[in-house]
Amino acid sequence: MVALAVEAWIWYGVATAIVFARFLARYLQLKSLKKLQLEDLVMALVIILYTADLILIIRAASTPTNLIPPDKLASLTNKDIADRISGSKLIVALEQLFCATQWGCKACLLLLYSNLTTGLRQHFVVKLVAAYTFTGYLVMQILYFGVWCRPFSAYWSVPASSPQCSTYLHHLITNFVVNVSSDILILLIPLPLLAKTQLPLRKKLVLCAVFSVGIFVILSAVLNKYASFTQPYGSLWVYWYVREISTAVIVANLPHGWALLRRAFRLKSFLQGEDGSRSVIVAGGVGRTKVWPGQLEGARHGRRLSDFRGFVRGRQERLPSDAESVEVLGSRTRELPLEIWECKELRCSVEERRGVGEAEGSGSGSVGSRRASQERGHEGGGVVVIGKGETRTVCEAVEKDRDRDLEKGKERVAED
């Protein structure tokens, strides 16, 4: 099985290189290993499982199991039986590592999409897909350990007490259905968001292609099960085990590679113009508007976007479900991850501070509590107050009509 070992380690080299690129991109983006998120920790565990699984696959290719052609049962010796028992135990461990690696890759993608859609309607869809994915994994494991082959030790009995203990037919069918169906659902999550953006068609197709590489994982799963069902006594299935699991690891890490490619080849952001400004793409249908990094259009006296971040960003607080989503994909000052932002229109004005004894507004509540809330820049009733000196900046959310904003967006595009 030299050919299998060569192919397996080539796949492993490519996959681990992409995983390394992912963590390098994350470190450059976050500036600290302590800021790595849950999806990064899951991927670190996945690469350990993937390494162990690949080693067992290579070893299992040259080890006999209790899957024995009927014409060879009579010729088994005690040594053959002992070897086949060891090989069958190896298959049990291999199969568990294989499934754990598969679902670990799914978990990484779901955590990525959960971060991207925080505060949006699609976030609920991500939760539903995650629930289906991991419920399917739980059902598959219950069937494997408690239903298909009883007692569990029969998985390595020689000869096998049941065809399900040697061929794994029912388990493979269950794995195929749950695995492919969950992959399709995960694949469909980002495509509606990308389709709604106002990017040029060429750039939109590139982004869709990056998030659609999961098709190759589905194709590998189909070919893997085809080899297992049509040639149960052959060795073709081990090649497709290597290809399927390696493709899954590669696909789970590709979305994080764009930022590193931009740094390595000095590529521009998808939304960055020649003058260094960036475009804000409104998924709800509003046109493209150039915004300088760190600048909030319409704010006065040099107030920066970071001053309003707790009010604007859906990741900090749950905003109204009918708010439009904005994707910020590039910046001149620093690398930004792919994010979905909530769009809120603010009307800002500068006011002089009143005396301590004066009322701060027409709302109810004590002056002291309202002032304490304002000093912290806290949002209350849709108003953000910033400033501690003689003047203060008051920003209030403006309710927007979607049809009116669409017309304004089109006019801005025409003016640009």
Side-chain angles (χ1 to χ4, degrees):
M1 288 294 178
V2 177
L4 173 66
V6 171
E7 180 176 341
W9 292 120
I10 290 175
W11 276 107
Y12 183 77
V14 174
T16 52
I18 294 176
V19 172
F20 175 78
R22 170 226 176 88
F23 280 104
L24 180 58
R26 296 288 285 167
Y27 175 76
L28 293 175
Q29 171 193 323
L30 301 174
K31 307 299 183 185
S32 174
L33 294 177
K34 295 181 180 180
K35 295 182 180 179
L36 291 177
Q37 298 176 337
L38 179 59
E39 62 179 287
D40 303 307
L41 302 180
V42 172
M43 181 49 62
L45 176 61
V46 165
I47 197 63
I48 296 173
L49 298 174
Y50 170 61
T51 303
D53 188 44
L54 214 59
I55 293 172
L56 292 186
I57 290 175
I58 296 172
R59 185 177 175 184
S62 58
T63 304
T65 67
N66 61 356
L67 183 60
I68 310 168
D71 58 337
K72 292 185 178 181
L73 284 174
S75 61
L76 290 178
T77 64
N78 291 334
K79 184 179 184 305
D80 292 335
I81 292 176
D83 291 341
R84 289 183 179 275
I85 290 175
S86 298
S88 300
K89 292 180 179 179
L90 194 66
I91 294 297
V92 172
L94 180 157
E95 188 65 27
Q96 288 305 304
L97 287 172
F98 183 82
C99 294
T101 306
Q102 279 182 318
W103 263 261
C105 293
K106 298 177 195 290
C108 289
L109 288 174
L110 287 170
L111 288 170
L112 170 64
Y113 295 149
S114 177
N115 290 334
L116 290 178
T117 58
T118 299
L120 302 180
R121 296 172 182 174
Q122 288 82 356
H123 191 68
F124 180 68
V125 177
V126 176
K127 290 182 178 180
L128 288 180
V129 174
Y132 172 80
T133 300
F134 292 102
T135 300
Y137 179 76
L138 181 62
V139 170
M140 181 183 67
Q141 293 293 70
I142 291 174
L143 294 174
Y144 179 81
F145 283 97
V147 177
W148 300 139
C149 180
R150 297 299 301 163
F152 185 75
S153 59
Y155 275 115
W156 54 83
S157 63
V158 179
S161 59
S162 166
Q164 300 305 323
C165 300
S166 57
T167 63
Y168 286 39
L169 179 61
H170 290 171
H171 168 71
L172 293 178
I173 293 174
T174 306
N175 175 274
F176 176 76
V177 172
V178 177
N179 179 37
V180 172
S181 60
S182 58
D183 279 346
I184 292 174
L185 292 176
I186 293 173
L187 183 66
L188 294 177
I189 290 174
L191 297 184
L193 289 174
L194 296 174
K196 291 179 182 179
T197 61
Q198 301 298 310
L199 285 169
L201 180 60
R202 178 177 59 85
K203 294 182 177 180
K204 187 184 296 186
L205 289 176
V206 171
L207 281 176
C208 288
V210 170
F211 285 96
S212 299
V213 288
I215 294 174
F216 294 103
V217 180
I218 297 174
L219 179 61
S220 298
V222 171
L223 295 175
N224 181 13
K225 296 304 181 285
Y226 176 80
S228 298
F229 296 153
T230 58
Q231 302 181 34
Y233 300 108
S235 59
L236 184 60
W237 66 271
V238 292
Y239 288 88
W240 282 108
Y241 259 57
V242 171
R243 294 163 187 167
E244 180 182 352
I245 201 64
S246 300
T247 306
V249 173
I250 291 171
V251 167
N253 289 277
L254 279 182
H256 288 283
W258 172 245
L260 189 62
L261 287 176
R262 283 183 57 196
R263 286 178 176 269
F265 298 100
R266 297 185 178 180
L267 300 175
K268 289 184 178 180
S269 164
F270 268 78
L271 308 180
Q272 188 169 343
E274 296 295 333
D275 53 1
S277 63
R278 71 176 183 224
S279 299
V280 177
I281 306 301
V282 180
V286 179
R288 185 184 306 181
T289 304
K290 288 186 176 180
V291 179
W292 291 97
Q295 179 183 8
L296 180 65
E297 186 175 0
R300 296 183 182 180
H301 298 278
R303 293 293 179 189
R304 295 176 58 83
L305 178 61
S306 57
D307 293 332
F308 307 93
R309 183 165 295 177
F311 179 73
V312 176
R313 292 190 58 179
R315 187 172 296 177
Q316 300 294 330
E317 300 175 357
R318 183 83 176 182
L319 294 179
S321 60
D322 59 347
E324 296 167 335
S325 63
V326 178
E327 295 178 13
V328 179
L329 302 178
S331 172
R332 184 175 62 173
T333 56
R334 63 184 180 93
E335 295 292 337
L336 290 178
L338 181 62
E339 295 179 341
I340 308 296
W341 282 29
E342 293 291 339
C343 180
K344 299 287 287 186
E345 183 177 329
L346 304 178
R347 181 186 294 113
C348 299
S349 60
V350 179
E351 300 178 357
E352 293 184 358
R353 282 193 175 276
R354 299 184 177 93
V356 177
E358 296 180 12
E360 290 290 334
S362 58
S364 60
S366 66
V367 174
S369 62
R370 289 181 57 84
R371 181 175 295 277
S373 174
Q374 293 168 353
E375 298 260 348
R376 293 192 302 269
H378 178 69
E379 177 190 350
V383 178
V384 175
V385 180
I386 301 174
K388 296 183 179 180
E390 296 179 355
T391 62
R392 64 180 182 178
T393 300
V394 180
C395 294
E396 182 177 3
V398 179
E399 295 294 332
K400 300 187 293 182
D401 181 79
R402 185 175 295 274
D403 294 333
R404 183 195 66 190
D405 288 344
L406 181 59
E407 295 300 324
K408 287 185 178 181
K410 292 179 180 178
E411 293 176 2
R412 285 179 178 175
V413 172
E415 291 175 359
D416 289 343

